[in-house]
Amino acid sequence: MNKADKSVIYWLLTGCFLLFLMVTIGGITRLTNSGLSMTDWHLVTDTFPPLTDEKWNTAFEEYKKFPEYQKINIHNDFQLSDYKFIYFWEWFHRFIGRIIGLVFIVPFAYFLIKNKLSRATIKKCFVLLFMGGFQGFLGWFMVRSGLIDNPDVSHFRLSLHLTFAFTTFAYTLWVALDLIYPHRNPVQIELRKIARYALAFLLLQIIYGGFVAGLNAGLIHNHWPLMSDGQFIHDSVFIEQPSLLLNLTEGKSGVQFVHRTLAYVVVFFIGWLFFKSKKSMLLQDQKKGINGLMFLVLVQFALGVFTLLLAVPLWLGLAHQINAFFLLATMTYTLHRLSK
């Protein structure tokens, strides 16, 4: 890498780490059902949680006006101490989002003033600025869906919020890699093509992972390799919704079936990339990327199976999401090294 770009690279990689932290905290927020605890959003006044008993009681009384409390938690002997627990995770999730905004905007302005960014990097950073702002909007858009009638957020909006966070991370990493590896290598055209297919199916799998999470579809058919009743495609896949498309996008059984089937597809393409690479003369970083992909996809597959069999315990569901992040990071790195 060029010495002049080092500070910019560290800045971008810090953003990658914070995005990883954001997604991890978001996973905890979802798995602890904390996402609807903050019923309003203020850019400044929500920076810190309530600091007095009076403010805590006011926030709790406001929470009681919304569907999650009125339809679910009112029946669970839900107390202020319980509310403080779920409030913390949603507040922390939003707090990290604010930190990301500051970490991006302040250094970006500094680098612009000091002329430390090339014209190409400036354009990419403006794309990142838009992606970060849009991600914040998607978070509000998702939470909004659970504060009207239904005490659950829309699984479409949850998946969009999750997938866009993954995509923002991947693009940030790509921009950093462009600076880390300024000199171009010969493109591995055939391997790059397979890697692109693998990335496409991995992103589709992440989308369906969001669907599974939003519908709590991991709490049914807790069997593997077959679904319930020894069926590869359970009868319920076709009867929950009035059409096949709706069954595969809104039915719990259908969404789980697609997610568990896509896992085989992702493993296939990464396995194909791995074995095909053995016949090619590759650079060391290309080999490391592909080997890392093969290892992580097998770990991810195993985590998915055990998460399903054990009906999504919090720690395992979180591990499954974190490893998906590592898998996407390695996929991004590998595709970059095969492309440039």
Side-chain angles (χ1 to χ4, degrees):
M1 70 180 75
N2 295 324
K3 287 185 178 181
D5 291 331
K6 274 191 174 182
S7 57
V8 178
I9 291 168
Y10 292 146
W11 166 58
L12 290 169
L13 292 180
T14 299
C16 287
F17 171 76
L18 288 172
L19 285 166
F20 164 72
L21 184 61
M22 181 84 168
V23 172
T24 301
I25 300 302
I28 297 174
T29 301
R30 173 178 53 80
L31 290 166
T32 55
N33 296 313
S34 302
L36 298 176
S37 58
M38 295 178 69
T39 57
D40 205 349
W41 188 86
H42 304 283
L43 182 60
V44 177
T45 56
D46 287 340
T47 302
F48 299 101
L51 300 177
T52 66
D53 290 340
E54 180 183 359
K55 289 183 178 180
W56 271 117
N57 284 315
T58 299
F60 190 30
E61 290 303 316
E62 190 66 24
Y63 171 73
K64 290 179 179 179
K65 298 176 183 178
F66 289 88
E68 184 174 76
Y69 179 81
Q70 294 175 350
K71 295 183 179 182
I72 299 176
N73 285 333
I74 195 173
H75 306 295
N76 296 331
D77 190 30
F78 195 78
Q79 302 297 320
L80 180 59
S81 58
D82 302 307
Y83 177 66
K84 287 181 177 181
F85 174 78
I86 63 172
Y87 188 101
F88 169 78
W89 288 114
E90 176 62 11
W91 166 80
F92 193 29
H93 185 55
R94 298 187 190 194
F95 181 74
I96 296 298
R98 286 181 171 89
I99 295 298
I100 290 174
L102 288 174
V103 167
F104 182 84
I105 293 172
V106 175
F108 181 43
Y110 171 80
F111 291 137
L112 281 176
I113 293 170
K114 294 294 185 178
N115 293 317
K116 288 182 172 288
L117 302 174
S118 68
R119 183 172 297 179
T121 303
I122 290 172
K123 290 179 180 178
K124 294 171 188 176
C125 287
F126 274 115
V127 173
L128 285 173
L129 182 62
F130 167 78
M131 293 178 78
F134 189 61
Q135 179 67 4
F137 164 77
L138 289 177
W140 170 85
F141 186 59
M142 175 189 69
V143 170
R144 178 76 176 165
S145 66
L147 296 176
I148 302 173
D149 297 312
N150 190 348
D152 287 312
V153 299
S154 161
H155 69 288
F156 291 115
R157 297 187 190 187
L158 184 150
S159 183
L160 182 60
H161 184 52
L162 175 68
T163 305
F164 201 75
F166 273 81
T167 305
T168 303
F169 164 82
Y171 186 68
T172 306
L173 179 59
W174 190 277
V175 176
L177 290 170
D178 281 344
L179 298 175
I180 295 171
Y181 299 100
H183 304 295
R184 300 184 68 89
N185 293 318
V187 176
Q188 297 288 338
I189 297 176
E190 187 175 9
L191 295 180
R192 182 182 66 179
K193 183 177 180 180
I194 299 172
R196 285 175 172 175
Y197 281 122
L199 176 61
F201 280 105
L202 177 58
L203 289 174
L204 184 59
Q205 179 70 322
I206 290 170
I207 291 170
Y208 263 88
F211 287 176
V212 170
L215 293 171
N216 292 317
L219 302 179
I220 60 173
H221 304 302
N222 301 110
H223 307 277
W224 186 83
L226 303 176
M227 299 178 79
S228 300
D229 305 316
Q231 296 178 314
F232 178 70
I233 307 178
H234 195 262
D235 294 337
S236 57
V237 169
F238 305 103
I239 62 176
E240 287 185 42
Q241 300 293 332
S243 70
L244 180 61
L245 177 62
L246 291 177
N247 272 308
L248 297 181
T249 55
E250 297 188 30
K252 292 184 179 182
S253 296
V255 163
Q256 191 202 104
F257 170 73
V258 173
H259 190 56
R260 64 198 290 160
T261 304
L262 277 173
Y264 295 107
V265 178
V266 173
V267 171
F268 168 77
F269 275 103
I270 291 178
W272 184 17
L273 177 65
F274 176 77
F275 288 109
K276 196 75 174 177
S277 71
K278 299 304 178 184
K279 300 178 182 179
S280 303
M281 296 292 293
L282 299 179
L283 300 173
Q284 196 64 27
D285 54 358
Q286 294 170 333
K287 291 179 182 179
K288 288 180 178 179
I290 293 173
N291 291 340
L293 266 183
M294 193 69 232
F295 171 75
L296 286 171
V297 78
L298 294 177
V299 171
Q300 184 67 358
F301 190 91
L303 286 172
V305 170
F306 285 109
T307 300
L308 181 64
L309 292 176
L310 298 176
V312 199
L314 190 152
W315 70 271
L316 199 48
L318 187 61
H320 188 48
Q321 180 170 303
I322 289 173
N323 196 71
F325 211 96
F326 292 155
L327 183 59
L328 179 63
T330 308
M331 185 78 253
T332 303
Y333 173 82
T334 303
L335 183 56
H336 189 277
R337 301 318 306 133
L338 294 174
S339 302
K340 294 186 176 184

